[in-house]
Amino acid sequence: MRRTGQDERLGGRAGGRRPARASAALRGIAGVVAVSVVGCLPEGAPPWLVDHAIVASVRFDVAVRGPYAPESPRDDRLVASLMPGDRLRATPFLVGPAGPIDAGAVRPAWFYCRATRCFGDVTQGARPRACEIEGVGSTTTCALGQAAAPELELGALQSLVDLYADPPALMMVAGAGATDTASCVDRLRRLQDDGETVQACIVIIEPLPLGPLWRLMLVAAATGLPDALPLNGISPEVQAAQPALYPAVLPFELTITGVDGQPRELIAADGASVAVARGEQVEIVAPVDVFDIQLFYQALLGNGSEVLFQATFESFSSSWLFTADVAPDDTMALQQVDFVVPEDAPATIYGYYLLGDGRSQVWAWLRFEVAE
């Protein structure tokens, strides 16, 4: 599903660094499979227009650190990846035409599964068992129940190769409007039998943001998995790399130009209300903290039995979704969007902002109150 926004590199590969090398028998690992099922905008609607309830993003946090969890090097930033032994917490960003949706009122249903098997396991056969402590890797689908922000304790890493061939994921099912979550789960189970529709439901499958491949290689080696790398296969430089951290959403800088051509400027934090009038030009700049741009190492398959560890910098990307047909300018520079408040605008317009760094995503929103 395409969303409006901009994507621009804020850094390249670490200047002149050569990839560190390690030997491994890891050829043939498939790429991570990310699956979004239902919840995208309907056919024909602009990609930035929210005209029905959707899940714009899902955030995974470490609720309780396990034995392999890295510590954050910054007190004001949280680690944005999971490791075996962690207790995770999932939080959905549910939004609709009338504003952000309280996940506590919707109470989504959650399932822990493999990315390619979630939909089939939930819609076919017996009801999934209740989740317990679940291994990272090979697992059968289990149910976490209904919760605004469920938690799940991850068990041991089962297989490194199998993990990346078909990664573990959470599947979320939620009701929207007159259709409640329990009804949506029942509809899913009737898909195969009578062609039941889930058009009024929100369904998304989101792979877990597991620690980078090299961190899992260390865990695999330490626990003696048969497809693991030896510990000396990963250079000290790579082992000392910092974990992925969530970036911060800074207060927005707005310039609103009236129909008389006079601009006014203001700063608006997440969740703020902004007064506008029909016909006014709205420019939103979303600053980023340059210290949020991290240098990290990614593991790449090389020739023969080698794994190459390559240093690179994160890159920011941003997206805006709106609840009215404001036709935002899609050609602006990074972190900026312009739109004109339409003459037929509703009394309230919501703007939903998504900020990603290539490894994680955060969000914020603004409420535009349109003067009569």
Side-chain angles (χ1 to χ4, degrees), residues 135 151 193 351:
E151 295 188 2
D193 298 330

Side-chain angles (χ1 to χ4, degrees), residues 187-209:
R187 286 185 179 191
L188 283 176
R189 296 198 173 102
R190 294 199 299 268
L191 283 176
Q192 304 298 325
D193 298 330
D194 55 14
E196 182 69 58
T197 177
V198 291
Q199 185 174 358
C201 303
I202 302 171
V203 183
I204 188 169
I205 299 170
E206 193 72 22
L208 300 186

Side-chain angles (χ1 to χ4, degrees), residues 78-241:
L78 296 177
V79 174
S81 60
L82 306 171
M83 292 292 287
D86 288 350
R87 185 173 185 85
L88 69 86
R89 180 184 299 116
T91 306
F93 184 37
L94 296 169
V95 300
I101 299 171
D102 179 10
V106 173
R107 296 186 67 240
W110 299 85
F111 303 89
Y112 178 63
C113 47
R114 299 299 288 271
T116 63
R117 307 177 207 168
C118 289
F119 198 75
D121 286 354
V122 172
T123 59
Q124 302 175 24
R127 292 175 180 267
R129 62 181 175 82
C131 293
E132 299 175 347
I133 298 176
E134 302 297 330
V136 180
S138 299
T139 183
T140 56
T141 296
C142 62
L144 282 164
Q146 290 185 229
E151 295 188 2
L152 173 67
E153 185 172 346
L154 298 176
L157 178 62
Q158 303 295 322
S159 166
L160 190 63
V161 172
D162 190 40
L163 169 69
Y164 276 83
D166 192 6
L170 284 190
M171 177 175 176
M172 190 202 80
V173 183
T179 307
D180 62 23
T181 293
S183 297
C184 286
V185 175
D186 288 339
R187 286 185 179 191
L188 283 176
R189 296 198 173 102
R190 294 199 299 268
L191 283 176
Q192 304 298 325
D193 298 330
D194 55 14
E196 182 69 58
T197 177
V198 291
Q199 185 174 358
C201 303
I202 302 171
V203 183
I204 188 169
I205 299 170
E206 193 72 22
L208 300 186
L210 294 168
L213 178 60
W214 65 266
R215 285 194 188 277
L216 294 176
M217 287 176 177
L218 289 174
V219 174
T223 54
L225 292 186
D227 54 13
L229 272 176
L231 284 173
N232 61 7
I234 306 173
S235 70
E237 180 184 38
V238 173
Q239 294 188 41

Side-chain angles (χ1 to χ4, degrees), residues 3-4 48-54 56-57 93-101 252 270 284 318-324 337 348-355 362-368:
R3 298 194 188 280
T4 188
W48 43 262
L49 179 60
V50 178
D51 59 359
H52 70 293
I54 64 170
S57 186
F93 184 37
L94 296 169
V95 300
I101 299 171
F252 300 106
D270 177 24
I284 309 173
S318 63
S319 300
W320 278 95
L321 305 173
F322 294 93
T323 60
V337 67
T348 302
I349 300 172
Y350 288 90
Y352 305 119
Y353 174 69
L354 304 175
L355 172 65
V362 291
W363 60 73
W365 58 277
L366 295 175
R367 179 193 300 109
F368 296 93

Side-chain angles (χ1 to χ4, degrees), residues 44-68:
W48 43 262
L49 179 60
V50 178
D51 59 359
H52 70 293
I54 64 170
V55 56
S57 186
V58 179
R59 172 170 174 149
F60 295 94
D61 287 298
V62 179
V64 180
R65 295 175 60 244
Y68 306 107

